[in-house]
Amino acid sequence: MFRILFYQPEIPPNTGNAIRLAANTGSELHLVEPLGFNFEDKQLKRAGLDYHDLARVTVHKSLEDAWSVLLPAPVYAFSATATRMYTDVAYEPGAVLMFGPESAGLPASVQHSPEITERLKLPMLSTSRSLNLANTAAIAVYEAWRQHGFTH
């Protein structure tokens, strides 16, 4: 359906929650190394519960490796610095929803690379710095899926 791309994720429970999200929505989860954890991490396993076997998860050695698998699909990079809202896009099946590492978000060089179709943001209070990675991914995936009538 949709493909979630975490670029260099750092916090195990966020990725565990994304595994659960992918399993429950029929999405794929793609992770770009380096990862801030390994798949034996207890927090990752706990957050993903028993969904690990139900999710399609692919780990890529580099962003270039991920692009070779994911393109030519549209790629939506989520960033607090973007100006266009995530609800202003008509997502097509197979679209890539890309998110950066928890500590810094997507680097500008990635956000502005030619592979990116559009930079998107979720609204939040002006006094806030960022949303949780797993929560942001869930909001984006459910909006894309909603636009398709929650069909699989």
Side-chain angles (χ1 to χ4, degrees):
M1 175 61 69
F2 298 100
R3 296 179 288 172
I4 304 161
L5 176 58
F6 280 6
Y7 177 77
Q8 301 179 350
E10 301 163 329
I11 301 174
N14 282 328
T15 299
N17 285 328
I19 289 169
R20 201 167 167 180
L21 172 67
N24 280 294
T25 62
S27 299
E28 297 173 6
L29 177 60
H30 294 262
L31 307 172
V32 175
E33 292 183 337
L35 308 179
F37 51 85
N38 64 54
F39 279 88
E40 297 306 313
D41 189 290
K42 290 179 184 177
Q43 291 178 321
L44 176 86
K45 288 183 175 187
R46 182 174 179 209
L49 293 176
D50 57 348
Y51 290 91
H52 293 264
D53 294 336
L54 302 174
R56 291 173 297 203
V57 180
T58 304
V59 178
H60 303 278
K61 293 284 182 197
S62 68
L63 187 53
E64 292 74 25
D65 288 348
W67 292 148
S68 72
V69 171
L70 298 170
L71 296 178
V75 179
Y76 299 101
F78 287 77
S79 172
T81 62
T83 57
R84 191 160 185 208
M85 291 292 189
Y86 78 108
T87 53
D88 293 340
V89 172
Y91 299 94
E92 59 185 69
V96 177
L97 310 176
M98 183 179 195
F99 307 87
E102 293 89 341
S103 65
L106 282 172
S109 60
V110 173
Q111 288 186 44
H112 297 287
S113 68
E115 293 83 5
I116 303 299
T117 305
E118 188 80 50
R119 294 172 59 239
L120 303 173
K121 70 176 184 174
L122 275 70
M124 61 183 161
L125 297 176
S126 61
T127 55
S128 298
R129 184 176 52 85
S130 65
L131 291 169
N132 172 274
L133 174 62
N135 292 343
T136 303
I139 292 166
V141 167
Y142 272 89
E143 171 58 18
W145 196 21
R146 181 198 65 79
Q147 289 181 9
H148 292 274
F150 298 108
T151 59
H152 182 58

